[in-house]
Amino acid sequence: MTAATHDTWIRRAEKLEPHGAHLIDGADEAGGGAAFAAVSPRDGRILAEVADGGEAEVDAAVAAARRAFDHGPWPRLAPSERGRILTRVADLLDEHREELALTVSLEMGKPVTDAHDIELRAVVNTFRWYGQLADKLTDESPHTPHDALALVTREPAGVVGAVVPWNFPLTLAGWKLAPALAAGCTVVLKPSERSPLSALLLGRIALEAGLPPGVLNVVNGDGPVAGRALGLHPGVDVLAFTGSTDVGRQFLRYSADSNLKRVWLELGGKSPNIVLPDAPDLARAAATAAWGIFFNQGEMCTAPSRLLVHSSVAEEVTEAVVAHARALRVGDPLDPATQMGALAGEGHLARVLDHVDAASATGARLLTGGARTLAGTGGSYLEPTVFDRVAPDSRLAREEVFGPVLSVLTFDDLDEAVSLANDTEYGLAAGLWTSDLSTAHTLSRALRAGTVWVNCYEEGDLTVPFGGMKQSGNGRDKSAHALEKYMELKTTWIQL
């Protein structure tokens, strides 16, 4: 945990000089000269001018990654050597932890303590975990007739395009980069145009750690231009994307219109958090529900945005959640006392407020929040917001808000709880609070979600996979299973 004060972080921010150039083939590249401003949602100020990439820059980055894969040392290194370099990346990320945390906080608005203590811990652990795993993978030799030998080998898939969002810009990049690199692939990373600076810094740190030029390239730009160019590029073998379901559909189309590259998608969520009357601790369930929806300003695909509470305890739980929301400190992301920072920008704040206005207009009851706050700072801040009496078929109950807005719905029995929980196009995550072991198992099996947390939320480590069902996507990040996305299976049959 960092012990830096508010004034210390402000002084560091004043001295920060982020780099905005693309990172291609191991060197800074200004590209075609076009640039866009990286604006901090903390106060609206410009952090840096960032090179704006298009087809030419994506072509150059893919060409560099292709050369590094086809002719460079990275795929041919001993797995233990790749692992050593990835572990060195983890070490250097840890050494640059304060600079990285500050950059993340300034570019996307989360409290700097969360960036330092949670996000940076996650990305450091990710590179270290896959670095340690790199030389522990095995191939197969199935039983065959006595006159033959069969080998099933795992080979790196090639050039990976990774497109990641702004809400956890380093964690989600790490979840894709580390396993892809451990597998022996080379990568072109396109960060969100809202959070390019931390990704560029990560790329430079990886070079310093010993990653050969061209193995990791970072191209800035917006989705409709740079993202589209990467999705359509015939030199990309695998595309890994985290973001909205609508954009995920676009990447599938790009694949169909180009070289049928494999596309792995981690998309949106509208996660239910079910509280039964026999929950082991209703106060803890309510506190966790409040933490889950307001952590990271609610800008999480797994946010427990639908609180489903048994009618017999709904009033007690809802009142406790509202009390937590009202006590939450919204403020400057650089203040260690801040518990909820700024939303990612003015456009995103406007979209969240549109959901709030629509909910009030369609009969949901606003219990707390619902308004912009700290407008005088120039930043994009919203009060923690809770609605009850939310209709299951309303926008608020069905659409991903991606902000600090909680919907409370009630149910009377387990069948109704499961029906409400599964009544969504998404299937990313779910929470369940009960003291009954059979109920925990039965409901966990019935919930159509990639992760189910029982008597907790957002828990787990790198040993378990992360991903969704239905329109929350396919494939898995984290764990050894993530490597499968970046490897090809080859069968070799030898007649003896």
Side-chain angles (χ1 to χ4, degrees), residues 9 12-13 16 97-106 112 334:
W9 284 117
R12 289 173 180 167
L16 192 69
R97 193 166 185 165
E98 291 183 350
E99 181 184 5
L100 286 160
L102 179 59
T103 303
V104 167
S105 180
L106 289 173
V112 70
L334 300 189

Side-chain angles (χ1 to χ4, degrees), residues 154-484:
R154 290 170 172 82
E155 300 182 354
V159 175
V160 174
V163 181
V164 298
W166 44 263
N167 57 325
F168 290 92
L170 292 180
T171 300
L172 297 178
W175 283 4
K176 290 171 173 43
L177 298 180
L181 295 170
C185 295
T186 58
V187 184
V188 178
L189 171 66
K190 194 207 85 66
S192 168
E193 60 271 24
R194 289 179 178 158
S195 58
L197 303 176
S198 56
L200 290 166
L201 182 53
L202 183 155
R204 290 175 175 84
I205 289 170
L207 276 175
E208 183 183 346
L211 214 62
V215 172
L216 174 57
N217 309 273
V218 185
V219 177
N220 314 307
D222 66 8
V225 178
R228 180 177 184 273
L230 196 57
L232 287 169
H233 204 291
V236 175
D237 301 295
V238 177
L239 195 291
F241 170 71
T242 295
S244 73
T245 299
D246 287 343
V247 176
R249 289 191 179 94
Q250 290 295 330
F251 277 111
L252 290 175
R253 294 187 183 103
Y254 298 152
S255 172
D257 290 342
S258 57
N259 61 337
L260 292 178
K261 60 178 63 66
R262 282 186 287 164
V263 176
W264 300 109
L265 304 173
E266 193 273 281
L267 307 175
K270 194 67 182 176
S271 299
N273 188 21
I274 304 169
V275 180
L276 299 178
D278 69 340
D281 186 337
L282 285 175
R284 186 164 68 89
T288 303
W291 171 84
I293 187 60
F294 302 130
F295 172 65
N296 210 56
Q297 302 74 245
E299 297 164 329
M300 288 200 304
C301 51
T302 55
S305 54
R306 291 186 297 147
L307 179 60
L308 311 184
V309 193
H310 192 275
S311 55
S312 65
V313 293
E315 183 176 354
E316 176 185 352
V317 172
T318 302
E319 287 179 354
V321 170
V322 169
H324 282 288
R326 289 174 175 164
L328 204 64
R329 178 165 177 170
V330 181
D332 183 0
L334 300 189
D335 185 349
T338 291
Q339 295 168 292
M340 197 175 93
L343 271 68
E346 288 297 293
H348 184 55
L349 174 61
R351 283 189 290 274
V352 175
L353 284 170
D354 178 64
H355 279 283
V356 170
D357 293 342
S360 296
T362 54
R365 180 172 66 170
L366 179 64
L367 299 179
T368 190
R372 182 174 190 157
T373 186
L374 302 176
T377 65
S380 307
Y381 299 89
L382 181 68
E383 296 172 338
T385 301
V386 179
F387 284 94
D388 73 350
R389 300 179 184 173
V390 177
D393 60 352
S394 66
R395 280 182 61 196
L396 192 63
R398 305 193 69 81
E399 297 181 10
E400 186 176 40
V401 177
F402 220 65
V405 182
L406 180 65
S407 304
V408 181
L409 299 90
T410 60
F411 61 88
D412 294 316
D413 57 48
L414 295 184
D415 288 342
E416 186 182 6
V418 172
S419 178
L420 282 172
N422 288 338
D423 186 20
T424 172
E425 65 186 20
Y426 299 110
L428 189 56
L432 171 62
W433 297 80
T434 179
S435 294
D436 187 273
L437 183 61
S438 292
T439 299
H441 280 293
T442 302
L443 262 66
S444 294
R445 291 176 180 179
L447 294 172
R448 295 285 294 163
T451 299
V452 179
W453 288 290
V454 179
N455 297 330
C456 61
Y457 207 89
E458 286 293 344
E459 297 297 335
D461 58 24
L462 284 157
T463 63
V464 293
F466 175 84
M469 302 178 180
K470 301 192 285 187
Q471 293 188 42
S472 288
N474 54 25
R476 294 296 183 264
D477 288 329
K478 296 172 53 187
S479 84
H481 295 284
L483 291 160
E484 298 166 10

